Amino acid sequence: MFTPSVVPAPLAPLLAGVRALGGDTEAFSDTGAEARACWLAGLRQLADATEVLFTHALSVFDAQGDGEVLHGAQSTQAWLRGALHLAPGDASGRVRMARMADV
């Protein structure tokens, strides 16, 4: 259904950096317990910050009806399921959260 042709410019270097870390498991596997805990804490902060940004972007996407406009989806939840392959419950939950964040 949907394949992004271009990752937006601000996201491209961030995504490349995270992907580069994925191949460097030695960066955290050959360290001590405290360093590994710091890796986990940093990765969780990165994931949380990304989720906040995703929720705000989804709020605007949903409010504008972009899933219907671009791909004829019946709802934003349907678009998330089809385009991003989210499970039905996950798609509904994310849209609910985005709508609450918009209030």
Side-chain angles (χ1 to χ4, degrees):
M1 177 182 210
F2 172 73
T3 303
S5 55
V6 177
V7 173
L11 299 179
L14 298 171
L15 186 56
V18 170
R19 286 182 173 154
L21 286 172
D24 187 15
T25 58
E26 291 180 16
F28 52 84
S29 61
D30 290 339
T31 60
E34 186 171 341
R36 287 190 296 273
C38 288
W39 267 95
L40 288 173
L43 289 169
R44 184 70 260 156
Q45 290 175 31
L46 180 61
D48 290 346
T50 303
E51 285 296 330
V52 167
L53 186 56
F54 181 89
T55 300
H56 288 295
L58 182 58
S59 175
V60 174
F61 185 90
D62 180 56
Q64 297 296 319
D66 290 341
E68 182 178 339
V69 171
L70 292 173
H71 303 107
Q74 292 182 354
S75 65
T76 300
Q77 293 92 323
W79 187 87
L80 288 170
R81 290 191 312 268
L84 302 185
H85 309 290
L86 270 64
D90 193 22
S92 294
R94 287 174 180 268
V95 170
R96 236 184 345 266
M97 186 181 302
R99 288 176 179 169
M100 288 187 329
D102 193 37
V103 174

Coordinates of all heavy atoms in Angstrom, one line a residue:
M1 N 0.8 -1.2 0.0 CA 0.0 0.0 0.0 C 0.9 1.3 0.0 O 0.8 2.0 -0.9 CB -1.0 0.0 1.2 CG -1.8 1.2 1.3 SD -2.9 1.2 2.8 CE -4.2 2.1 2.2
F2 N 1.7 1.4 1.0 CA 2.4 2.7 1.2 C 3.9 2.3 1.4 O 4.2 1.6 2.3 CB 1.9 3.5 2.3 CG 2.8 4.7 2.6 CD1 2.8 5.8 1.7 CD2 3.5 4.8 3.7 CE1 3.6 6.9 2.0 CE2 4.4 5.9 4.0 CZ 4.4 6.9 3.2
T3 N 4.8 2.9 0.7 CA 6.2 2.8 0.9 C 6.8 4.2 0.8 O 6.6 4.8 -0.3 CB 6.9 1.9 -0.2 OG1 6.2 0.6 -0.2 CG2 8.3 1.7 0.1
P4 N 7.3 4.7 1.9 CA 7.9 6.1 1.8 C 9.0 6.1 0.8 O 9.9 5.3 0.8 CB 8.4 6.3 3.2 CG 8.5 5.0 3.8 CD 7.6 4.1 3.2
S5 N 8.9 7.1 -0.1 CA 9.9 7.2 -1.2 C 11.2 7.9 -0.6 O 12.3 7.6 -1.0 CB 9.4 8.0 -2.3 OG 8.9 9.3 -1.9
V6 N 11.0 8.8 0.3 CA 12.1 9.5 0.9 C 11.9 9.7 2.4 O 10.8 10.2 2.8 CB 12.3 10.9 0.2 CG1 13.4 11.7 0.9 CG2 12.5 10.8 -1.3
V7 N 12.9 9.4 3.2 CA 12.8 9.7 4.6 C 13.0 11.2 4.8 O 14.0 11.7 4.2 CB 13.8 8.9 5.4 CG1 13.8 9.3 6.9 CG2 13.5 7.4 5.3
P8 N 12.2 11.9 5.5 CA 12.4 13.3 5.7 C 13.8 13.7 6.1 O 14.4 13.0 7.0 CB 11.4 13.7 6.7 CG 10.3 12.7 6.6 CD 11.0 11.4 6.3
A9 N 14.4 14.8 5.6 CA 15.7 15.1 5.8 C 16.2 15.1 7.3 O 17.3 14.6 7.6 CB 16.0 16.5 5.2
P10 N 15.4 15.6 8.2 CA 15.9 15.6 9.6 C 16.0 14.2 10.2 O 16.8 14.0 11.1 CB 14.9 16.4 10.4 CG 14.1 17.2 9.4 CD 14.2 16.4 8.1
L11 N 15.2 13.3 9.6 CA 15.2 11.9 10.2 C 16.3 11.0 9.6 O 16.8 10.1 10.2 CB 13.9 11.2 10.0 CG 12.7 11.9 10.6 CD1 11.4 11.1 10.3 CD2 12.8 12.0 12.1
A12 N 16.7 11.3 8.4 CA 17.7 10.4 7.7 C 19.0 10.2 8.4 O 19.4 9.0 8.6 CB 18.0 11.0 6.3
P13 N 19.7 11.2 8.9 CA 20.9 10.9 9.6 C 20.7 10.2 11.0 O 21.5 9.4 11.4 CB 21.6 12.3 9.8 CG 20.5 13.3 9.7 CD 19.5 12.7 8.7
L14 N 19.6 10.5 11.6 CA 19.3 9.9 12.9 C 19.0 8.4 12.7 O 19.6 7.5 13.4 CB 18.0 10.5 13.5 CG 18.1 12.0 13.9 CD1 16.7 12.5 14.3 CD2 19.1 12.1 15.0
L15 N 18.3 8.1 11.6 CA 18.0 6.7 11.3 C 19.3 5.9 10.9 O 19.5 4.8 11.4 CB 17.0 6.6 10.2 CG 16.4 5.3 9.8 CD1 15.8 4.5 11.0 CD2 15.4 5.4 8.7
A16 N 20.1 6.6 10.1 CA 21.4 6.0 9.7 C 22.3 5.7 10.9 O 22.9 4.7 11.0 CB 22.1 6.9 8.7
G17 N 22.3 6.7 11.9 CA 23.1 6.5 13.1 C 22.6 5.3 13.9 O 23.4 4.5 14.4
V18 N 21.3 5.2 14.1 CA 20.8 4.1 14.9 C 21.1 2.8 14.2 O 21.4 1.8 14.8 CB 19.3 4.3 15.2 CG1 18.7 3.1 15.8 CG2 19.1 5.5 16.1
R19 N 20.9 2.7 12.9 CA 21.1 1.5 12.2 C 22.6 1.1 12.2 O 22.9 -0.1 12.3 CB 20.7 1.7 10.7 CG 19.2 1.6 10.6 CD 18.7 1.7 9.1 NE 17.3 1.5 9.0 CZ 16.5 2.0 8.1 NH1 17.1 2.7 7.1 NH2 15.2 1.7 8.1
A20 N 23.5 2.1 12.2 CA 24.9 1.8 12.3 C 25.2 1.2 13.7 O 26.1 0.3 13.8 CB 25.7 3.1 12.1
L21 N 24.6 1.6 14.7 CA 24.8 1.0 16.0 C 24.3 -0.4 16.1 O 24.9 -1.2 16.9 CB 24.0 1.8 17.1 CG 24.6 3.2 17.5 CD1 23.6 3.9 18.4 CD2 26.0 3.0 18.1
G22 N 23.3 -0.7 15.3 CA 22.8 -2.1 15.3 C 23.8 -3.2 15.0 O 23.8 -4.3 15.4
G23 N 24.8 -2.8 14.2 CA 25.8 -3.7 13.8 C 27.0 -3.8 14.7 O 27.9 -4.6 14.6
D24 N 27.0 -2.9 15.7 CA 28.1 -2.8 16.6 C 27.7 -3.3 18.0 O 27.7 -2.5 19.0 CB 28.6 -1.3 16.7 CG 29.9 -1.1 17.5 OD1 30.5 -2.1 17.8 OD2 30.1 0.0 17.9
T25 N 27.5 -4.6 18.1 CA 27.0 -5.1 19.4 C 28.2 -5.1 20.4 O 27.9 -5.2 21.6 CB 26.5 -6.5 19.3 OG1 27.5 -7.4 18.6 CG2 25.2 -6.5 18.4
E26 N 29.4 -5.0 20.0 CA 30.5 -5.0 20.9 C 30.6 -3.7 21.7 O 31.1 -3.7 22.8 CB 31.9 -5.2 20.1 CG 32.0 -6.5 19.5 CD 33.3 -6.7 18.8 OE1 34.2 -5.8 18.9 OE2 33.5 -7.6 18.0
A27 N 29.9 -2.7 21.2 CA 29.9 -1.4 21.9 C 29.3 -1.6 23.3 O 29.7 -0.8 24.2 CB 29.1 -0.4 21.1
F28 N 28.4 -2.5 23.5 CA 27.8 -2.7 24.8 C 28.0 -4.1 25.3 O 27.8 -4.3 26.5 CB 26.3 -2.3 24.8 CG 25.5 -3.0 23.7 CD1 25.0 -4.2 23.9 CD2 25.2 -2.3 22.5 CE1 24.2 -4.8 22.9 CE2 24.5 -2.9 21.5 CZ 24.0 -4.2 21.7
S29 N 28.3 -5.1 24.5 CA 28.4 -6.4 25.1 C 29.7 -6.7 25.8 O 29.8 -7.5 26.7 CB 28.2 -7.5 23.9 OG 29.3 -7.3 23.0
D30 N 30.8 -5.9 25.5 CA 32.1 -6.1 26.1 C 32.3 -5.1 27.2 O 33.5 -4.8 27.5 CB 33.2 -6.1 25.1 CG 33.2 -7.3 24.2 OD1 32.6 -8.3 24.5 OD2 33.8 -7.2 23.1
T31 N 31.3 -4.6 27.8 CA 31.4 -3.6 28.8 C 30.9 -4.2 30.2 O 30.4 -5.3 30.2 CB 30.6 -2.3 28.5 OG1 29.2 -2.7 28.4 CG2 31.1 -1.7 27.2
G32 N 30.9 -3.4 31.2 CA 30.5 -3.8 32.5 C 29.0 -3.6 32.6 O 28.3 -3.0 31.8
A33 N 28.4 -4.1 33.8 CA 27.0 -4.0 34.0 C 26.5 -2.6 34.0 O 25.4 -2.3 33.5 CB 26.7 -4.7 35.4
E34 N 27.2 -1.7 34.6 CA 26.8 -0.3 34.7 C 26.7 0.3 33.3 O 25.8 1.0 32.9 CB 27.7 0.5 35.6 CG 27.1 1.9 35.8 CD 27.9 2.7 36.8 OE1 28.6 2.1 37.7 OE2 27.7 4.0 36.8
A35 N 27.7 0.0 32.5 CA 27.7 0.6 31.1 C 26.6 0.0 30.3 O 25.9 0.7 29.5 CB 29.1 0.3 30.4
R36 N 26.3 -1.3 30.5 CA 25.2 -1.9 29.7 C 23.8 -1.3 30.2 O 22.9 -1.0 29.4 CB 25.2 -3.4 29.9 CG 26.3 -4.1 29.1 CD 26.1 -5.6 29.0 NE 26.2 -6.2 30.4 CZ 27.4 -6.6 30.9 NH1 28.5 -6.4 30.2 NH2 27.4 -7.1 32.1
A37 N 23.7 -1.0 31.5 CA 22.5 -0.4 32.0 C 22.4 1.0 31.4 O 21.3 1.5 31.1 CB 22.6 -0.3 33.6
C38 N 23.5 1.8 31.3 CA 23.4 3.1 30.7 C 23.0 3.0 29.2 O 22.2 3.8 28.7 CB 24.8 3.8 30.8 SG 25.2 4.3 32.5
W39 N 23.5 2.0 28.5 CA 23.0 1.7 27.1 C 21.5 1.5 27.1 O 20.8 2.1 26.3 CB 23.7 0.5 26.5 CG 24.9 0.8 25.7 CD1 26.2 0.8 26.2 CD2 25.0 1.2 24.4 NE1 27.1 1.2 25.2 CE2 26.3 1.5 24.1 CE3 24.0 1.5 23.4 CZ2 26.8 1.9 22.8 CZ3 24.5 1.9 22.1 CH2 25.8 2.1 21.8
L40 N 21.0 0.7 28.0 CA 19.6 0.4 28.0 C 18.8 1.7 28.3 O 17.7 2.0 27.7 CB 19.2 -0.7 29.0 CG 19.7 -2.1 28.6 CD1 19.5 -3.1 29.7 CD2 18.9 -2.5 27.3
A41 N 19.2 2.5 29.3 CA 18.6 3.7 29.7 C 18.6 4.7 28.5 O 17.5 5.3 28.2 CB 19.2 4.3 30.9
G42 N 19.7 4.8 27.8 CA 19.8 5.7 26.7 C 18.9 5.3 25.5 O 18.2 6.1 24.9
L43 N 18.9 4.0 25.2 CA 18.0 3.5 24.2 C 16.5 3.7 24.5 O 15.7 4.0 23.6 CB 18.3 2.0 23.9 CG 19.7 1.8 23.2 CD1 20.0 0.3 23.2 CD2 19.7 2.3 21.8
R44 N 16.2 3.5 25.8 CA 14.8 3.7 26.2 C 14.4 5.1 26.0 O 13.3 5.5 25.6 CB 14.6 3.2 27.6 CG 13.2 3.3 28.2 CD 12.3 2.3 27.5 NE 11.5 2.8 26.5 CZ 11.0 2.1 25.5 NH1 11.1 0.9 25.4 NH2 10.3 2.7 24.5
Q45 N 15.3 6.1 26.4 CA 15.0 7.5 26.2 C 14.8 7.8 24.7 O 14.0 8.6 24.4 CB 16.1 8.3 26.8 CG 16.2 8.3 28.3 CD 17.4 9.0 28.9 OE1 17.8 10.0 28.3 NE2 17.9 8.6 30.0
L46 N 15.7 7.2 23.9 CA 15.6 7.5 22.4 C 14.2 6.9 21.9 O 13.5 7.6 21.2 CB 16.7 6.8 21.7 CG 16.8 6.9 20.2 CD1 16.9 8.3 19.8 CD2 17.9 6.0 19.7
A47 N 13.8 5.7 22.3 CA 12.5 5.2 21.9 C 11.4 6.0 22.4 O 10.4 6.3 21.7 CB 12.4 3.7 22.4
D48 N 11.4 6.5 23.7 CA 10.4 7.3 24.2 C 10.2 8.6 23.5 O 9.1 9.1 23.2 CB 10.6 7.6 25.7 CG 10.4 6.3 26.6 OD1 9.8 5.3 26.1 OD2 10.8 6.4 27.7
A49 N 11.4 9.3 23.2 CA 11.3 10.5 22.5 C 10.8 10.3 21.1 O 10.0 11.2 20.6 CB 12.7 11.1 22.4
T50 N 11.1 9.2 20.4 CA 10.6 8.9 19.1 C 9.1 8.7 19.2 O 8.3 9.1 18.3 CB 11.3 7.7 18.5 OG1 12.7 8.0 18.5 CG2 10.8 7.4 17.1
E51 N 8.6 8.0 20.2 CA 7.2 7.7 20.4 C 6.4 9.0 20.6 O 5.3 9.2 20.0 CB 6.9 6.8 21.5 CG 7.2 5.4 21.2 CD 6.4 4.7 20.1 OE1 5.2 5.1 19.9 OE2 6.9 3.9 19.4
V52 N 6.9 10.0 21.3 CA 6.3 11.3 21.5 C 6.1 12.0 20.2 O 5.1 12.5 19.8 CB 7.1 12.2 22.5 CG1 6.6 13.6 22.5 CG2 7.0 11.6 23.9
L53 N 7.2 12.0 19.4 CA 7.2 12.7 18.1 C 6.2 11.9 17.1 O 5.4 12.6 16.4 CB 8.6 12.7 17.5 CG 8.8 13.4 16.2 CD1 8.3 14.9 16.3 CD2 10.2 13.4 15.7
F54 N 6.2 10.6 17.2 CA 5.2 9.8 16.4 C 3.8 10.2 16.7 O 3.0 10.4 15.8 CB 5.5 8.3 16.5 CG 4.6 7.4 15.7 CD1 4.9 7.1 14.5 CD2 3.4 7.0 16.3 CE1 4.1 6.3 13.7 CE2 2.5 6.2 15.5 CZ 2.9 5.8 14.2
T55 N 3.5 10.3 18.0 CA 2.2 10.6 18.5 C 1.7 12.0 18.0 O 0.6 12.1 17.5 CB 2.1 10.5 20.0 OG1 2.4 9.1 20.4 CG2 0.7 10.8 20.5
H56 N 2.6 12.9 18.1 CA 2.3 14.3 17.6 C 2.0 14.3 16.1 O 1.1 14.9 15.6 CB 3.3 15.3 18.0 CG 3.3 15.6 19.5 ND1 2.2 16.2 20.1 CD2 4.2 15.4 20.4 CE1 2.5 16.4 21.4 NE2 3.7 15.8 21.6
A57 N 2.9 13.6 15.3 CA 2.7 13.6 13.9 C 1.4 12.8 13.5 O 0.7 13.3 12.6 CB 3.9 12.9 13.3
L58 N 1.1 11.8 14.2 CA -0.1 11.0 14.0 C -1.3 11.9 14.3 O -2.3 11.8 13.6 CB -0.1 9.7 14.8 CG -1.3 8.8 14.6 CD1 -1.4 8.4 13.1 CD2 -1.2 7.6 15.5
S59 N -1.2 12.7 15.3 CA -2.3 13.6 15.6 C -2.7 14.5 14.5 O -3.9 14.6 14.1 CB -2.0 14.4 16.9 OG -3.0 15.3 17.2
V60 N -1.7 15.1 13.9 CA -1.9 15.9 12.7 C -2.4 15.1 11.5 O -3.3 15.5 10.8 CB -0.6 16.7 12.4 CG1 -0.8 17.5 11.1 CG2 -0.2 17.6 13.5
F61 N -1.8 14.0 11.2 CA -2.1 13.1 10.1 C -3.6 12.7 10.3 O -4.4 12.8 9.3 CB -1.2 11.9 10.2 CG -1.4 10.9 9.1 CD1 -0.7 11.0 7.9 CD2 -2.3 9.8 9.2 CE1 -0.8 10.1 6.9 CE2 -2.4 8.9 8.1 CZ -1.7 9.1 7.0
D62 N -4.0 12.3 11.5 CA -5.4 11.9 11.7 C -6.4 13.1 11.6 O -7.4 13.0 10.9 CB -5.5 11.3 13.1 CG -6.9 10.9 13.5 OD1 -7.5 10.1 12.7 OD2 -7.5 11.3 14.5
A63 N -6.0 14.2 12.1 CA -6.9 15.4 12.1 C -7.1 15.9 10.6 O -8.2 16.3 10.3 CB -6.4 16.5 12.9
Q64 N -6.1 15.7 9.8 CA -6.2 16.2 8.4 C -6.9 15.1 7.5 O -7.1 15.4 6.3 CB -4.8 16.5 7.9 CG -4.2 17.7 8.6 CD -4.9 19.0 8.4 OE1 -5.4 19.3 7.3 NE2 -5.0 19.7 9.4
G65 N -7.1 13.9 8.0 CA -7.6 12.8 7.2 C -6.7 12.3 6.1 O -7.1 11.9 5.1
D66 N -5.4 12.4 6.4 CA -4.4 12.1 5.4 C -4.4 10.6 4.9 O -4.2 10.4 3.7 CB -3.0 12.4 5.9 CG -2.7 13.9 6.1 OD1 -3.5 14.7 5.5 OD2 -1.8 14.3 6.8
G67 N -4.8 9.7 5.7 CA -4.8 8.3 5.3 C -5.9 8.1 4.2 O -5.7 7.4 3.2
E68 N -7.0 8.8 4.4 CA -8.1 8.7 3.4 C -7.7 9.5 2.1 O -7.9 9.0 1.0 CB -9.4 9.3 3.9 CG -10.5 9.2 3.0 CD -11.8 9.8 3.6 OE1 -12.0 9.8 4.8 OE2 -12.7 10.1 2.8
V69 N -7.1 10.7 2.3 CA -6.7 11.5 1.1 C -5.7 10.8 0.3 O -5.8 10.8 -0.9 CB -6.2 12.9 1.6 CG1 -5.6 13.7 0.5 CG2 -7.3 13.7 2.3
L70 N -4.7 10.3 0.9 CA -3.6 9.7 0.1 C -3.9 8.3 -0.4 O -3.5 8.0 -1.5 CB -2.3 9.6 1.0 CG -1.7 10.9 1.5 CD1 -0.6 10.6 2.5 CD2 -1.1 11.6 0.2
H71 N -4.6 7.5 0.4 CA -4.7 6.1 0.0 C -6.1 5.5 0.1 O -6.3 4.3 0.0 CB -3.8 5.2 0.8 CG -2.3 5.6 0.7 ND1 -1.7 6.3 1.7 CD2 -1.5 5.5 -0.3 CE1 -0.5 6.6 1.3 NE2 -0.3 6.1 0.1
G72 N -7.1 6.4 0.3 CA -8.5 5.9 0.4 C -8.8 5.0 1.6 O -9.7 4.3 1.5
A73 N -8.0 5.1 2.6 CA -8.2 4.3 3.8 C -9.5 4.8 4.5 O -9.8 6.0 4.5 CB -7.0 4.4 4.8
Q74 N -10.2 3.9 5.1 CA -11.5 4.2 5.7 C -11.3 5.0 7.0 O -12.2 5.7 7.5 CB -12.3 3.0 6.0 CG -12.8 2.3 4.7 CD -13.7 1.1 5.0 OE1 -13.8 0.7 6.2 NE2 -14.2 0.5 4.0
S75 N -10.1 4.9 7.6 CA -9.8 5.5 8.9 C -8.3 5.6 9.0 O -7.5 4.9 8.3 CB -10.4 4.8 10.1 OG -9.8 3.5 10.2
T76 N -7.8 6.4 10.0 CA -6.4 6.4 10.3 C -6.0 5.0 10.8 O -4.9 4.6 10.5 CB -6.1 7.5 11.3 OG1 -6.5 8.8 10.8 CG2 -4.6 7.6 11.7
Q77 N -6.8 4.4 11.6 CA -6.5 3.1 12.1 C -6.3 2.1 10.9 O -5.3 1.3 10.9 CB -7.6 2.5 13.0 CG -7.7 3.2 14.3 CD -8.7 4.4 14.3 OE1 -8.9 5.1 13.3 NE2 -9.5 4.6 15.3
A78 N -7.1 2.1 10.0 CA -7.0 1.3 8.8 C -5.7 1.6 8.0 O -5.0 0.7 7.6 CB -8.2 1.4 7.9
W79 N -5.4 2.8 7.9 CA -4.1 3.2 7.2 C -2.9 2.7 8.0 O -2.0 2.1 7.4 CB -4.0 4.7 7.1 CG -2.9 5.1 6.3 CD1 -2.8 5.2 4.9 CD2 -1.6 5.4 6.7 NE1 -1.6 5.6 4.5 CE2 -0.8 5.7 5.6 CE3 -1.0 5.5 8.0 CZ2 0.6 6.0 5.7 CZ3 0.4 5.8 8.1 CH2 1.1 6.1 7.0
L80 N -2.9 2.8 9.3 CA -1.8 2.3 10.1 C -1.7 0.8 10.0 O -0.6 0.3 9.9 CB -2.0 2.6 11.6 CG -1.8 4.1 12.0 CD1 -2.3 4.3 13.4 CD2 -0.4 4.5 11.8
R81 N -2.8 0.1 9.9 CA -2.7 -1.4 9.7 C -2.2 -1.7 8.4 O -1.3 -2.6 8.2 CB -4.1 -2.0 9.9 CG -4.6 -1.9 11.4 CD -5.9 -2.8 11.6 NE -6.9 -2.6 10.6 CZ -7.9 -1.7 10.8 NH1 -8.0 -0.9 11.9 NH2 -8.8 -1.5 9.9
G82 N -2.7 -1.1 7.3 CA -2.3 -1.4 6.0 C -0.9 -0.9 5.6 O -0.1 -1.6 5.0
A83 N -0.6 0.4 5.9 CA 0.6 1.0 5.5 C 1.8 0.7 6.4 O 2.9 0.5 5.9 CB 0.4 2.5 5.4
L84 N 1.6 0.6 7.7 CA 2.7 0.4 8.6 C 2.6 -1.0 9.3 O 3.5 -1.3 10.1 CB 2.7 1.5 9.7 CG 2.8 3.0 9.2 CD1 2.9 3.9 10.3 CD2 3.9 3.1 8.2
H85 N 1.6 -1.8 8.9 CA 1.5 -3.2 9.4 C 1.4 -3.3 10.9 O 1.9 -4.2 11.5 CB 2.7 -4.0 8.9 CG 2.9 -3.9 7.4 ND1 2.0 -4.4 6.5 CD2 3.9 -3.3 6.7 CE1 2.5 -4.1 5.3 NE2 3.6 -3.4 5.4
L86 N 0.7 -2.3 11.5 CA 0.4 -2.4 12.9 C -0.8 -3.3 13.2 O -1.7 -3.4 12.3 CB 0.0 -1.0 13.5 CG 1.2 -0.1 14.0 CD1 2.1 0.2 12.9 CD2 0.6 1.1 14.7
A87 N -0.7 -4.0 14.3 CA -1.8 -4.9 14.7 C -3.1 -4.0 15.0 O -2.9 -2.8 15.4 CB -1.5 -5.7 16.0
P88 N -4.3 -4.5 14.8 CA -5.5 -3.7 15.0 C -5.5 -3.0 16.3 O -5.8 -1.8 16.4 CB -6.6 -4.7 14.8 CG -6.1 -5.8 13.9 CD -4.6 -5.9 14.3
G89 N -5.3 -3.7 17.4 CA -5.3 -3.1 18.7 C -4.3 -2.0 18.9 O -4.5 -1.0 19.5
D90 N -3.1 -2.2 18.3 CA -2.0 -1.2 18.4 C -2.4 0.0 17.6 O -2.2 1.1 18.1 CB -0.7 -1.8 17.9 CG 0.5 -1.0 18.2 OD1 0.4 -0.2 19.2 OD2 1.5 -1.2 17.6
A91 N -2.9 -0.2 16.4 CA -3.3 1.0 15.6 C -4.4 1.8 16.3 O -4.3 3.0 16.4 CB -3.9 0.5 14.2
S92 N -5.4 1.1 16.9 CA -6.5 1.8 17.6 C -6.0 2.6 18.8 O -6.3 3.7 19.0 CB -7.6 0.8 18.0 OG -8.2 0.3 16.9
G93 N -5.1 1.9 19.5 CA -4.5 2.5 20.7 C -3.7 3.8 20.4 O -3.8 4.8 21.1
R94 N -2.9 3.7 19.3 CA -2.1 4.8 19.0 C -2.9 6.0 18.5 O -2.6 7.2 18.8 CB -1.1 4.4 17.9 CG 0.0 3.6 18.5 CD 0.9 3.1 17.4 NE 2.0 2.2 18.0 CZ 3.2 2.7 18.4 NH1 3.4 4.0 18.2 NH2 4.1 1.9 18.9
V95 N -4.0 5.7 17.7 CA -4.9 6.8 17.3 C -5.6 7.4 18.5 O -5.7 8.7 18.6 CB -5.9 6.3 16.2 CG1 -6.9 7.4 15.9 CG2 -5.1 6.0 14.9
R96 N -6.0 6.6 19.4 CA -6.7 7.1 20.6 C -5.7 8.0 21.4 O -6.1 9.1 21.8 CB -7.1 5.9 21.5 CG -8.5 5.9 21.9 CD -9.0 4.8 22.9 NE -8.0 3.7 23.1 CZ -8.1 2.5 22.4 NH1 -9.0 2.3 21.5 NH2 -7.2 1.6 22.7
M97 N -4.5 7.6 21.5 CA -3.5 8.4 22.2 C -3.2 9.7 21.5 O -3.1 10.8 22.1 CB -2.2 7.6 22.4 CG -1.2 8.3 23.3 SD 0.4 7.4 23.5 CE -0.2 5.9 24.2
A98 N -3.1 9.6 20.2 CA -2.9 10.8 19.4 C -4.0 11.8 19.5 O -3.8 13.0 19.6 CB -2.7 10.4 17.9
R99 N -5.2 11.3 19.5 CA -6.4 12.2 19.7 C -6.4 12.8 21.1 O -6.9 14.0 21.2 CB -7.7 11.4 19.4 CG -7.8 11.1 17.9 CD -9.0 10.3 17.6 NE -9.1 10.0 16.2 CZ -9.9 9.2 15.6 NH1 -10.8 8.4 16.4 NH2 -9.9 9.0 14.3
M100 N -6.0 12.1 22.1 CA -6.0 12.7 23.4 C -4.9 13.7 23.5 O -5.0 14.7 24.2 CB -5.8 11.6 24.5 CG -7.0 10.7 24.7 SD -6.9 9.5 26.0 CE -5.2 9.1 26.1
A101 N -3.8 13.5 22.8 CA -2.7 14.5 22.9 C -3.0 15.7 22.1 O -2.5 16.8 22.4 CB -1.4 13.8 22.2
D102 N -4.0 15.6 21.2 CA -4.4 16.8 20.4 C -5.3 17.7 21.2 O -5.5 18.9 20.9 CB -5.1 16.3 19.2 CG -5.3 17.4 18.2 OD1 -4.4 18.3 18.0 OD2 -6.4 17.4 17.5
V103 N -5.9 17.2 22.3 CA -6.9 18.0 23.1 C -6.2 19.1 23.9 O -5.2 19.0 24.3 CB -7.7 17.0 24.1 CG1 -8.6 17.8 25.0 CG2 -8.5 16.0 23.2

